[in-house]
């Protein structure tokens, strides 16, 4: 195992949520391995599903006009990695070599 390689269990635990929806009320959510997200998104684009960019509309002038003018049956997708809020992602201690420490005064 290399310095930057991941353990197999970490790869299996790395999950993403994929959401497909439209303005008519259709909504579908899938939990998939993160390593398959790019391939899945490509397949969705090839099938005519657009990327969901609604978050960018928050800072757009007349966002409601943009939403009202689009096809309500057009499916859009978005994906996000699942994050365990309880997981500590940073080390809480220094990894200095013990042999570098001085014995004291």
């Amino acid at each position: 195992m290399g310095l930057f390689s991941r353990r197999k269990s970490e790869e299996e635990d790395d999950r993403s949520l994929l959401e497909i929806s439209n303005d008519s009320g259709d909504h579908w959510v899938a939990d998939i391995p993160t390593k398959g997200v790019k391939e899945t998104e490509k397949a969705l684009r090839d099938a005519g599903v657009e990327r969901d960019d609604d978050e960018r509309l928050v800072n757009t002038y007349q966002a409601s006009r943009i939403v009202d003018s689009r096809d309500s049956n057009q499916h859009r997708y978005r994906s996000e990695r699942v994050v365990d809020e309880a997981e500590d992602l940073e080390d809480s201690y220094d990894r200095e070599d013990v042999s570098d420490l001085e014995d004291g005064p």
Side-chain angles (χ1 to χ4, degrees):
M1 184 183 309
L3 181 62
F4 295 106
S5 63
R6 297 172 58 167
R7 293 185 335 225
K8 188 166 183 79
S9 63
E10 287 178 351
E11 289 177 1
E12 292 171 358
D13 291 342
D14 193 8
R15 311 289 298 170
S16 290
L17 292 179
L18 179 72
E19 177 183 13
I20 302 171
S21 63
N22 65 16
D23 294 337
S24 294
D26 297 327
H27 189 241
W28 182 74
V29 177
D31 181 342
I32 64 173
T34 298
K35 66 182 179 180
V37 169
K38 286 184 182 180
E39 183 179 332
T40 303
E41 287 180 348
K42 182 182 182 322
L44 289 169
R45 285 190 305 273
D46 291 347
V49 180
E50 297 177 358
R51 178 177 293 280
D52 185 351
D53 291 327
D54 285 352
E55 289 181 4
R56 71 172 169 75
L57 295 176
V58 171
N59 296 321
T60 304
Y61 179 70
Q62 295 184 344
S64 61
R65 181 182 289 180
I66 294 169
V67 172
D68 291 342
S69 68
R70 66 185 180 193
D71 180 6
S72 63
N73 291 315
Q74 173 64 49
H75 286 92
R76 291 176 307 284
Y77 71 89
R78 59 184 266 166
S79 61
E80 285 190 35
R81 290 181 75 178
V82 176
V83 177
D84 180 3
E85 298 290 335
E87 181 181 5
D88 185 12
L89 299 177
E90 294 186 27
D91 286 337
S92 59
Y93 57 90
D94 194 6
R95 295 186 184 269
E96 290 184 14
D97 187 1
V98 178
S99 63
D100 291 341
L101 299 176
E102 295 182 17
D103 291 334

